Structure formats: C-alpha cells, structure tokens
Amino acid sequence: MGGLVANSNVLVLPVLLPLAAAAGSLPMGLVWQRRWAIVAVTAHLCVSLVLLFWLARGEVLALQVAAWPAPFGITFVGDTFSGLMLANMSLITWFVIAYATASVPENTQQLAFYPLALVLLSGVSGAVLTGDLFNLYVWYEVLLMASFVLLTLGAARTQLEGGLKYVALNLIASAFFLTGVGWLYGSTGTLNLADLSRRMEELPLTLPRIAGVLLLFVSFGIKAAVFPLFGWLPASYHTPPVAITALFSALLTKVGVYSIIRVGTLLLPSPPAALVDVLLCVAALTMITGVLGAVAQTEMKRLLSFHIVSQIGYLVLGYALYSVAGLAGAIYFFLHVSVAKAVLFLVAGELEHQYGTTHLGQLGGGYRDRPMLAVACFIGAMGLAGLPPLSGFFAKLQLALAAIEQEAVWSLVAALGVSILTLFSMTKIWAEAFWKQAPNQTSPRASVSWAMRVPTVGLALVTVLLGTFAEPLLGLSEQAAEQLLDRSAYLRAVLGGS
Amino acid sequence: MELLFAVTIGSLYAGALYLMLRRSIVKLLLGLGLLGHAANLLIFSTSGFRRFAPIAAEGRAPLPGEVADPVPQALILTAIVISFGVLAFAVVLIKLTAAAAGTDDVDSLRTSES
C-alpha cells in the first residue's frame, strides 16, 4: 500500500479535469454531454480519493506551478483538511449529477447544465486546493459565475428574483474580499498564504492587517451565510431544480466555511479574545436564527434551506472554539452535514417529482407509496438531528466535548437547544410527508426513475457509513485539525527549507 | 497623489453604498459597478507610489530610479476582467427580473420569499 509515491503534480488534476471536460463538452449534444459529465465526475472522484489516500498519511503536498518558487508563483497545496473536503464534495457531486440526469427538466438540461456543473466543481476544487489569496478570489469568481447561471437556469420569475439577491450579495462579498486582499498585500507585501502566515506572525498586528483579515472574514461570512449575512440564502436556494440546490448546499456555503477555517488558522494563529467572543456569538445566533426560520416553514425546500444556515453555525462554532477538538468536530461535521443535507434535498426532489409539490400540508401517505424513500428520508433527517448511531450524533458529540473543554457553556446550551428544534422540524417533515394519511387530492403523478432512486438511497447509505466509521474519520479529522493548528508542515511544504 | 487616491477611493465606496441602499434596481447595479472600481483602485494604490521593486533574477541589478510594484497592476487586470464579466451578467439578470416582475423597486421583489 505504501509503495505509491505521492506526486504533487496530481494536485492540479481536480481543477483541470472538470474544466477541460466542461470546455470539451460544450459543442456536444445533450446525450453525449450527460455521458461525458458522468465520466468526468467519476474521474474527479477517483483523483480525489487517490489524493485523500496520500494526504491521509499526514504529509502536506505543494505544487509550485511552472516551478516559480513559493511567494512569487502560483501555489497549490493539499493537506488532510483539503483532501477530506475534496473527496467529500466530489462524492456528493457524483451522486447529484447522476440524480440530475433524471430529475432536472430536459429543456433546462439543454441550457449547458452539465458544463456549468463541471465548471462549478472545478472552481470549488481550485478554492479548496489553492495556496494563494488572490487565486482564492479567482476560483471564487469561477464557481460564482457557474452558480449564478445554474441558479437562474430557465429564468422562472422566482429564480430571477432569488438570483438577483444572490448575485448582488455575492458581488458585495467579492468587493469586500478584494478590499481585504488589497489591505493585506499593502501591509505585508505578499499574497501567498504560507508567506502571509509567516509575516503576520513576525510583523505587529497593525490596523490595516487586522482590517484586512476582518474584511476577508466578512466576505467569507456572506458566502457561508452566517448570521446576520444569510438573508440571500433562504430567498434563493429553493428556487432552481432540486438537484442544483443539493449541489449548492454541498459545495457553495461549505467553501465559505472552508475559507474561514483555512485563512483564519493561517493568518491569525492566535486569534484575539474579542474576535473569538464575536465568533462564538455569531455561531450561536446563526444556529438559532436558522433553525427558528426552519421551524416556521411548511414548504420542504425552504425549510431545508433555512437548515443550511443553522448547520453553518455548528461549523463556525467548531472554528471559534479554536482547539484541536473543536476543529476536528467542525471537519467531521462538514463531512456529515453535506451528505445528510444532500440526502434530504434529493428526497424533496423525488417527492416533488412524484406529487408535484413539496408543501408539507399537501403531501402525505409517502410511507405507503415509497417505503424506501421514507427510510432514506428518515436516515437523512435523524442524521441531521443528531440521533445515535448516525453521523450527526458523533459530530455534535465531538463539538459538545470541545465546547466543554473550552468552557464555552452558552455555545453548548445553544447547540443542544438547536438540536432539539432540528429534531422537531425533521420529525415534522417525516410525519407530514410520509406518515400521515394522504390528503384526498394528491395521488402519485409520475413514476420516479431509477436514476433518481439509486442516488438518494446511495447517499443515505453514505450517511450510515459515516456514522459506522466515525472513529477512523474522527481520527482523520483530528489529524487535519492538528495540521491546521501547527502550521509548520504547511509552511515547510510551501516555502521549503527551515 | 496619495491624498487624491484616498479621497477618490473613499468617495467611490461611499457612492456605491449610497446607491445600493436605494430601492431602484438600476441604482443597485450602478452601486455594484462603483464598488468594484473602488476595490480595484484600492488594490492599485497598494503598489505603493514609490516602494517595492519588481522581481529581478538573482545577481541582476535592480531597475534604476523609482519604480512601482507591478504585482497589484497584474492583480487588478484580472479583477477588472472578472468584475466586468460578472457585471455584464448582472445587467442581463436585472433586465430580465425587471421585465418579469414589471417593477424596478427592489422592495417588491418578494415572490421567492413566501
């Protein structure tokens, strides 16, 4: 097993493969675009898994593009954290693309759906693997452009209105990002994350440097949809076809939190106490407002969109605790929440396909019509709520232990309270859509093809596996967290020498 | 020169914020455009008006005289192209939205929120 020698050139493949596939598939007809996309995503998944296999051994790979040495050239870096993220995102994209072949309406698929999804995957991989602040901005724009078009594909009125809010808020976030980059470059003279990290430690924390980092945090916060910057998410995420929403929930907001953790640990190795307090408050308020919004909803896709916000709070909490245990909890939570969330969105898509609605009041009797779907929904919902032995339980347990260790009692109380409300709203979904008697007017409309059923059940299985293999995965998360906090391996891999 | 830059960038940010807080969809778009320019100019100003020298190969003599750092100029070249592309998309989106909704008042665009 150890015979395979890690090659850092592979780091560029997760970015190049989907991008080249997207460009190549543009002139093709829909049938070939579909096959091509599945081949490309499968290849991406294979590369990601190989990378994860290498990175899980604990070494940090760095690729200097065109052999320009570190602070001057373009750097790609992979460590355990980015490896885990990449494999997780790639796996979900694989299932969602397979699901999209049957669930996204044919005329929407024809509007370059597959090339756009591939560009999105490429942008996300770039953002996860880049080792340079300005390149992070560029990858962000790549994935945002793809997501803008995916969100408004087909141009229904709700999509346009939701899309407008999404585009406007994200453009503001990008401007904040650029401003922060400008201030950091102006005050340190470098953009390479490793080099920046070193200089931020050596140079005094002056106002422009603090402001630069804070601007980056605000920008990532908008993209990740934390309190109070999340308004655009529940307004826009439920409008496109469900497969696109599932893709967004697994990739977009998660990249925002990924950047908070990556940039935060590199640029502020010892965060000021005031910032930690603010982040703890933000995390708690994100959880609470998100879940309260969800509890008030009766439409399944909107309910789930609010839950995205609420779950982001747990991830920020893991970062704000700023310990190995906290970060490990956040990383495992990442793996768990993207899968559980995707399962629920895919279930919502199947219900919409079959009954023509996702309003809980008009649904019912799903358990009789579709027992497998009911089980998949139950697994996803209980996993999200955090019932043992599913993945959410271990994720929340780890975060709770970390909170006790850091004596963040109020965060712990908030996290547990929100869990109960999550359980409540998840029970509501399951009881309304599957358990109660069907209202008279709804009868199954269309049959659901296997291309939709298999990915839903497959992803539900992944949730179970995440829970079953919680121990090795938590071990990996812990290793990733240790690497994040002890930056020496990262700096050595990028900058070389000392 | 520094003062001129500071005032210009500051007014661009202020103008952008003011326009984005208006209710008209077109003013939102103009505000977003200004915001992009403000950020680009700010990055440009970090090249220092007479500070860093460009990268030179080892052993080569640095350029004579005062030179500005070329990196921020390369950066904003990228940023300008990107913001131009995104803004072009936003123009089309706003036009379609206004046509679909029959209004240019941002406050009345609420069908996706209920």
Side-chain angles (χ1 to χ4, degrees):
Chain A
M1 293 253 285
L4 276 168
V5 179
N7 184 340
S8 62
N9 283 329
V10 176
L11 283 175
V12 84
L13 278 184
V15 185
L16 275 190
L17 266 178
L19 202 59
S25 70
L26 273 176
M28 295 178 188
L30 182 58
V31 177
W32 277 100
Q33 268 187 359
R34 190 179 291 156
R35 292 175 187 162
W36 188 247
I38 290 184
V39 171
V41 179
T42 312
H44 187 273
L45 182 60
C46 294
V47 172
S48 306
L49 289 178
V50 169
L51 257 180
L52 177 63
F53 176 73
W54 286 344
L55 296 171
R57 296 189 291 206
E59 60 183 312
V60 181
L61 294 178
L63 169 68
Q64 313 289 351
V65 175
W68 274 85
F72 306 114
I74 291 171
T75 310
F76 282 91
V77 196
D79 60 2
T80 315
F81 181 34
S82 42
L84 280 170
M85 287 293 90
L86 197 66
N88 178 265
M89 289 167 164
S90 186
L91 185 72
I92 297 175
T93 309
W94 193 89
F95 279 108
V96 173
I97 293 275
Y99 181 89
T101 56
S103 77
V104 177
E106 194 96 329
N107 52 359
T108 307
Q109 285 190 32
Q110 249 148 11
L111 302 167
F113 169 78
Y114 295 106
L116 284 167
L118 289 175
V119 172
L120 181 65
L121 185 61
S122 162
V124 169
S125 312
V128 169
L129 289 173
T130 186
D132 180 300
L133 207 50
F134 195 78
N135 277 305
L136 184 60
Y137 166 75
V138 174
W139 291 120
Y140 258 127
E141 295 302 311
V142 169
L143 68 91
L144 281 180
M145 268 316 255
S147 71
F148 290 166
V149 186
L150 278 174
L151 185 66
T152 51
L153 218 56
R157 183 174 165 189
T158 51
Q159 275 180 301
L160 289 172
E161 291 188 10
L164 182 65
K165 284 158 198 162
Y166 178 78
V167 170
L169 261 296
N170 275 293
L171 284 185
I172 295 172
S174 296
F176 274 32
F177 194 162
L178 268 183
T179 312
V181 169
W183 281 28
L184 280 173
Y185 183 78
S187 60
T188 61
T190 183
L191 286 167
N192 185 291
L193 279 172
D195 201 24
L196 253 178
S197 170
R198 212 174 47 182
R199 291 200 196 181
M200 287 290 281
E201 209 172 24
E202 286 166 2
L203 301 169
L205 258 190
T206 53
L207 194 60
R209 293 192 194 112
I210 296 176
V213 177
L214 286 184
L215 275 169
L216 293 187
F217 271 17
V218 171
S219 156
F220 298 146
I222 295 179
K223 286 170 205 288
V226 301
F227 178 88
L229 310 166
F230 65 82
W232 57 270
L233 193 149
S236 62
Y237 262 32
H238 62 102
T239 57
V242 174
I244 297 178
T245 314
L247 206 56
F248 282 9
S249 96
L251 301 181
L252 293 185
T253 41
K254 304 298 179 294
V255 172
V257 191
Y258 171 85
S259 313
I260 291 182
I261 294 181
R262 170 70 71 201
V263 171
T265 48
L266 278 174
L267 263 48
L268 287 179
S270 43
L275 180 69
V276 170
D277 288 342
V278 170
L279 279 173
L280 282 175
C281 280
V282 164
L285 286 170
T286 310
M287 289 189 253
I288 294 168
T289 44
V291 86
L292 288 181
V295 165
Q297 297 298 322
T298 53
E299 206 272 339
M300 194 168 164
K301 285 189 289 177
R302 274 180 65 75
L303 197 160
L304 292 175
S305 300
F306 272 104
H307 266 299
I308 298 181
V309 177
S310 163
Q311 308 295 319
I312 292 289
Y314 285 95
L315 298 171
V316 177
L317 173 67
Y319 169 67
L321 291 173
Y322 214 83
S323 62
V324 171
L327 282 170
I331 293 167
Y332 183 72
F333 203 95
F334 254 123
L335 307 179
H336 138 74
V337 78
S338 356
V339 178
K341 215 36 186 277
V343 173
L344 289 169
F345 272 116
L346 297 193
V347 168
E350 283 198 40
L351 290 174
E352 187 174 36
H353 195 83
Q354 188 154 27
Y355 300 105
T357 178
T358 48
H359 277 281
L360 291 176
Q362 295 163 27
L363 287 169
Y367 189 75
R368 190 197 54 212
D369 297 340
R370 302 284 311 281
M372 273 306 272
L373 186 67
V375 171
C377 179
F378 187 77
I379 292 175
M382 292 307 123
L384 198 70
L387 250 63
L390 293 163
S391 51
F393 171 72
F394 299 104
K396 285 179 180 170
L397 180 69
Q398 174 76 16
L399 278 177
L401 290 177
I404 292 171
E405 188 186 295
Q406 301 290 309
E407 292 170 0
V409 183
W410 284 110
S411 318
L412 182 66
V413 172
L416 295 180
V418 169
S419 282
I420 294 172
L421 285 175
T422 309
L423 182 60
F424 165 70
S425 61
M426 287 298 138
T427 335
K428 185 168 86 179
I429 288 185
W430 201 77
E432 293 274 323
F434 292 100
W435 201 237
K436 77 161 191 249
Q437 288 289 318
N440 293 331
Q441 65 271 27
T442 52
S443 53
R445 243 186 14 160
S447 66
V448 176
S449 76
W450 287 103
M452 285 168 81
R453 294 178 181 204
V454 174
T456 314
V457 175
L459 265 180
L461 259 176
V462 175
T463 313
V464 176
L465 288 179
L466 280 178
T468 317
F469 295 101
E471 193 166 346
L473 285 171
L474 266 171
L476 263 186
S477 310
E478 220 153 85
Q479 177 187 326
E482 274 161 17
Q483 274 181 350
L484 282 173
L485 288 182
D486 171 28
R487 303 156 301 142
S488 55
Y490 187 95
L491 299 195
R492 205 168 40 242
V494 176
L495 299 171
S498 54
Chain B
M1 196 63 180
E2 281 92 338
L3 185 68
L4 184 66
F5 253 78
V7 172
T8 315
I9 295 172
S11 356
L12 278 174
Y13 271 110
L17 275 182
Y18 174 73
L19 283 172
M20 284 191 301
L21 292 174
R22 305 297 299 266
R23 285 172 64 172
S24 158
I25 225 173
V26 181
K27 285 177 182 145
L28 171 70
L29 181 72
L30 291 175
L32 289 174
L34 283 190
L35 196 64
H37 285 306
N40 288 341
L41 261 187
L42 185 116
I43 291 198
F44 182 71
S45 73
T46 62
S47 63
F49 300 97
R50 49 178 168 282
R51 279 195 300 164
F52 308 113
I55 306 164
E58 225 175 333
R60 287 275 197 80
L63 291 177
E66 289 182 347
V67 277
D69 181 6
V71 176
Q73 304 183 13
L75 297 184
I76 58 165
L77 186 59
T78 317
I80 287 173
V81 175
I82 290 175
S83 62
F84 188 73
V86 178
L87 211 61
F89 177 81
V91 172
V92 178
L93 178 66
I94 281 175
K95 184 176 178 297
L96 282 175
T97 315
T103 172
D104 76 333
D105 181 357
V106 179
D107 278 4
S108 57
L109 302 178
R110 290 200 169 272
T111 49
S112 72
E113 291 186 25
S114 57

